[in-house]
Amino acid sequence: MTHPSVEQVWEWLGTLPDPEIPVITLIDLGIIRGVTWEGDTLVVTVTPTYSGCPATSMINMDIEALLREKGIENLELRRQLSPAWTTDWMTDEARAKLEEYGIAPPQPAGGPSRCPRCGGTHLEKLSQFGSTPCKAQWRCQDCLEPFEYFKCI
Amino acid sequence: MAEVDNTALLQFLLRTGDNTLILGHRVSEWCGHAPILEEDIALANTALDLIGQTQLWLGYAAEVQGMGKSADDLAFLRDVWDFRNVLLVELPNGDFGQTLMRQFLFDAWHSIMLPRLAKGTDERVREIAQKAVKEVSYHVERSADTVVGLGDGTEESHARMQAALDYLYPYVGELFESDEVDAAMVDAGIAPDPASLRDEYDALVGRVMEKATLTVPDGSFAHKGGRTGRMHTEHLGHLVSSMQWLQRAYPGSEW
């Protein structure tokens, strides 16, 4: 029997949303690092965002459920730690989608460049930690709304 | 570089993973109890990072041990005398200020140790450290800021932070103790001699305490015995009995 191609598998995986920020996909996030066939086994390599992120096990479950549904029988999910995940791997599309969703995308400067709601640039950090390990809490002093910022890592 | 023997590597990994496990558990005790929501979230996030790192450290420890155990087995099925964390991390939380002071004293060491491990000769240790150091750079930034904010705060917060520093400081010395396990790690190029990190640590802690208007106590007396397993404080047993409650009541149960 012939295997679905690697490209086909990437296409399927591209439909999987991040469980905590469903507006972006797992591929947008840059955490799926490889798809290969090793003999009859499909190996999908996934890297965690933060080492204790509770979404990691959910993500693995979503990947497995999807690929089983697509008829993949021999599947191995491999965890890859190195090189460690970085927000640099996030696609430009993902950054745009995050901002539209109300989460300021990561910036090399270490803080958001503008308020995702009003575009204001007078911003203050409320806390380096937010509702998920990957986010911080900020506030816009122009529109006074709090917002989340996806931290650089 | 010398070949490392697995007994020493296992001890090193248990020490590293038990530090993050026990501190992670302690910090998680704040969940739902912190003075304000932002701090509650920050403490829970920090605990989560530390416990995530523990899974990696103890997961590797279990492999090196080679007895078919998992990180969970090591965390939940060992008894108190088998833990190898430093005494500092098992101390009770005290008030919010004491919790953040302990966090800073640990984060400062962690943020200096991990970049060394990230450049060592053991690939697995290197990978875990490279991952962890990114998280810890956020931890130390926040705990340092909070120590400064509370130390250089009101009369009340200043007094509490000074009391916390006076109480915790004698537990700092154990982080820089060296024994034959450390010597084996140095010989194999896996980890630095802990004692060699002291100057950098003192400089960092000194800078933060000065900004916080707090006085680092004199004296070099150090409570120790945790990382060698010779003697823990009475507090660890209570922590472990709460952390391991489920596995003790329902052995082998799984989510």
Side-chain angles (χ1 to χ4, degrees), chain A residues 48-49 51 85 128 130 152, chain B residues 41 45 127 131 134-135 138 141:
Chain A
T49 53
S51 52
W85 181 75
Q128 196 60 275
C152 262
Chain B
I41 291 170
N45 269 277
E127 287 181 0
K131 183 86 202 149
K134 292 181 165 206
E135 297 161 359
Y138 280 110
E141 185 187 321

Side-chain angles (χ1 to χ4, degrees), chain B residues 143-222:
Chain B
S143 60
D145 282 355
T146 315
V147 164
V148 170
L150 291 173
D152 187 19
T154 64
E155 203 176 309
E156 171 78 15
S157 73
H158 175 86
R160 285 184 184 230
M161 293 311 273
Q162 186 62 55
L165 181 58
D166 292 346
Y167 170 59
L168 295 169
Y169 199 71
Y171 291 91
V172 162
E174 190 184 8
L175 292 164
F176 303 97
E177 283 287 304
S178 301
D179 63 8
E180 68 282 0
V181 171
D182 300 293
M185 292 304 111
V186 172
D187 286 345
I190 294 173
D193 178 359
S196 71
L197 308 177
R198 185 78 208 229
D199 287 347
E200 195 178 336
Y201 181 86
D202 286 346
L204 171 57
V205 170
R207 277 197 305 278
V208 170
M209 294 310 159
E210 196 185 330
K211 272 174 81 181
T213 69
L214 297 171
T215 310
V216 177
D218 288 331
S220 59
F221 174 74

Side-chain angles (χ1 to χ4, degrees), chain B residues 17 28 46 53 58 83 93 106 141 150 156 161 200 221 228:
Chain B
S28 78
T46 304
Q53 293 165 18
L58 293 186
F83 281 83
N93 286 334
F106 181 81
E141 185 187 321
L150 291 173
E156 171 78 15
M161 293 311 273
E200 195 178 336
F221 174 74
T228 60

